[in-house]
Amino acid sequence: MIGYITSADDSGDLTNPVITVILADDFYPGFENMPKVIYTYNRTSERFSKSLCSNDDFTVQLHSLLGAVELLELEEMRHRLAMKVFFKDGFSHSITHIKSEYLEGIWFPSPSLTDGCRETCVNITEFIYPKNPSILEVSFLCDVLNMICAVGEVGISSPFYCCYNSLFADSSVLKLLCDIFGEDSFFESVPPELKNELKILPSFRTKNRTDILKIRNLLESVSYDEKEYTGTRHSFAVNIKRTCLKGVLEHIKKAFSGNMTLRKLADSVYCEIDSGIKRFVALSGIFHATENLERTEDIRFLTLYELMSAYAFAEKEITLKSTVRKGREKITHINKTKIPKVIYPDGRSI
């Protein structure tokens, strides 16, 4: 038997991957016309349901269906995109991966699927960036903001999510911003189409205010000494990140003190990240000099983790061209997909 599994059903629902199993030996021309059976798998209930069977004598063992789902989840984890995965089933209690393709038109890298988030998340990309950001910009900003949230003990574990070229935030951390800057000031900065969506969320309906003073005191106690840009390239890169973190933290401290508007804070944070990225680009000239990178600007197709690994490990530097190529392919694919504004815990999005 052969077959394929897709990350979503025909309606684009990522909750229900579809498994098509075909009674054929190989993917030769016309294989789709052979007897087939189609199953839907529900990610929430972890149950299978048969939706089509062209031959009553054609049955598929449970271990084959489970194997197909496991294969899909591995490919989704590896690519962080919606996938169509082809496989062969040799009736030996295991299936063989043949190839994988990106599933067109389906936006996959949501916080709920890739990071296990079970809260409502809001796309705040346009609020921070004047134009479409690179994955390096988004992943860098996520890393810095989540680190500051951890230091401030905001009570939300990693509330910012990097979804390639989109930045999502847990609605609870947006409620924190609402409490800091005041409801009127906060909603003046929110796009009109999101204003009503936010106001109906449980986190925004609660009258309990965040303990802002506690968070402010924790952040005030944090300080970063000035570092010289010397040593290995990895220590140089760490200091770039450290300098950026220090700058963003100082702007957030001013915001907590009431000396900065939300719009000004967003602009200031963007400038700090942009300055850090430019330093990374300059430092990455060493990769271009060793012919492991076509252009220094190509690092924008990398995540912060991938870039820092390249500075630290020689084997990661050697494979940089391949990593950049894959990153460019993914961004090209993502740019063709409609990206949601709000993602709810049950997977629904608008």
Side-chain angles (χ1 to χ4, degrees), residues 26-302:
D26 208 344
F27 294 95
Y28 48 74
F31 73 90
E32 286 275 16
N33 298 323
M34 299 298 289
K36 70 179 68 174
V37 58
I38 299 177
Y39 289 86
T40 298
Y41 172 73
N42 186 276
R43 295 184 197 257
T44 305
S45 67
E46 298 183 348
R47 293 181 179 275
F48 297 93
S49 58
K50 187 185 293 186
S51 57
L52 174 69
C53 184
S54 61
N55 188 329
D56 293 337
D57 296 328
F58 186 15
T59 59
V60 181
Q61 298 297 316
L62 178 60
H63 69 79
S64 295
L65 298 176
L66 291 171
V69 171
E70 181 180 5
L71 193 60
L72 174 68
E73 290 176 343
L74 287 172
E75 288 298 283
E76 288 175 339
M77 187 183 304
R78 188 160 71 95
H79 296 278
R80 294 175 68 90
L81 290 174
M83 304 298 296
K84 182 176 183 179
V85 183
F86 295 81
F87 60 84
K88 276 188 178 182
D89 187 345
F91 302 99
S92 58
H93 295 280
S94 65
I95 63 174
T96 303
H97 178 213
I98 302 302
K99 66 174 182 176
S100 298
E101 300 174 351
Y102 298 145
L103 192 61
E104 296 295 331
I106 304 297
W107 191 85
F108 175 85
S110 68
S112 59
L113 287 172
T114 59
D115 296 285
C117 176
R118 292 296 176 263
E119 302 296 332
T120 299
C121 289
V122 180
N123 190 335
I124 61 170
T125 312
E126 293 182 359
F127 179 67
I128 301 291
Y129 299 100
K131 60 181 181 179
N132 289 338
S134 67
I135 186 172
L136 180 58
E137 290 176 282
V138 179
S139 59
F140 189 13
L141 179 56
C142 272
D143 185 89
V144 168
L145 293 180
N146 283 334
M147 192 172 295
I148 291 174
C149 285
V151 171
E153 298 181 10
V154 300
I156 312 165
S157 177
S158 300
F160 295 93
Y161 301 91
C162 172
C163 301
Y164 286 117
N165 60 352
S166 298
L167 176 66
F168 279 77
D170 185 318
S171 60
S172 297
V173 82
L174 295 184
K175 174 60 164 59
L176 169 60
L177 293 177
C178 184
D179 290 343
I180 293 171
F181 293 97
E183 187 170 307
D184 291 340
S185 178
F186 174 80
F187 282 112
E188 283 179 2
S189 304
V190 174
E193 64 270 20
L194 292 182
K195 186 174 181 178
N196 292 333
E197 293 293 332
L198 290 175
K199 284 190 171 182
I200 64 175
L201 295 176
S203 57
F204 276 81
R205 290 205 304 267
T206 180
K207 294 182 180 180
N208 297 327
R209 287 179 59 85
T210 310
D211 190 348
I212 297 173
L213 183 60
K214 175 186 174 183
I215 297 173
R216 176 182 173 181
N217 289 338
L218 285 169
L219 294 181
E220 288 290 350
S221 67
V222 178
S223 62
Y224 291 94
D225 297 331
E226 292 291 341
K227 288 289 183 179
E228 294 183 7
Y229 286 88
T230 58
T232 66
R233 64 189 188 186
H234 183 252
S235 63
F236 201 107
V238 169
N239 285 338
I240 291 175
K241 179 179 171 181
R242 181 188 178 94
T243 299
C244 186
L245 176 60
K246 178 183 177 181
V248 172
L249 181 58
E250 290 303 316
H251 292 306
I252 291 177
K253 287 179 182 179
K254 290 181 182 178
F256 269 90
S257 301
N259 296 323
M260 185 177 289
T261 65
L262 181 57
R263 180 66 265 163
K264 179 63 176 177
L265 174 62
D267 292 342
S268 298
V269 169
Y270 167 80
C271 289
E272 290 289 347
I273 296 296
D274 186 58
S275 177
I277 296 290
K278 289 175 180 176
R279 290 192 180 97
F280 277 135
V281 170
L283 178 60
S284 296
I286 58 178
F287 299 141
H288 180 66
T290 57
E291 298 184 352
N292 288 311
L293 202 62
E294 294 289 347
R295 302 179 307 122
T296 55
E297 288 287 338
D298 283 346
I299 66 167
R300 295 179 184 271
F301 291 104
L302 305 173

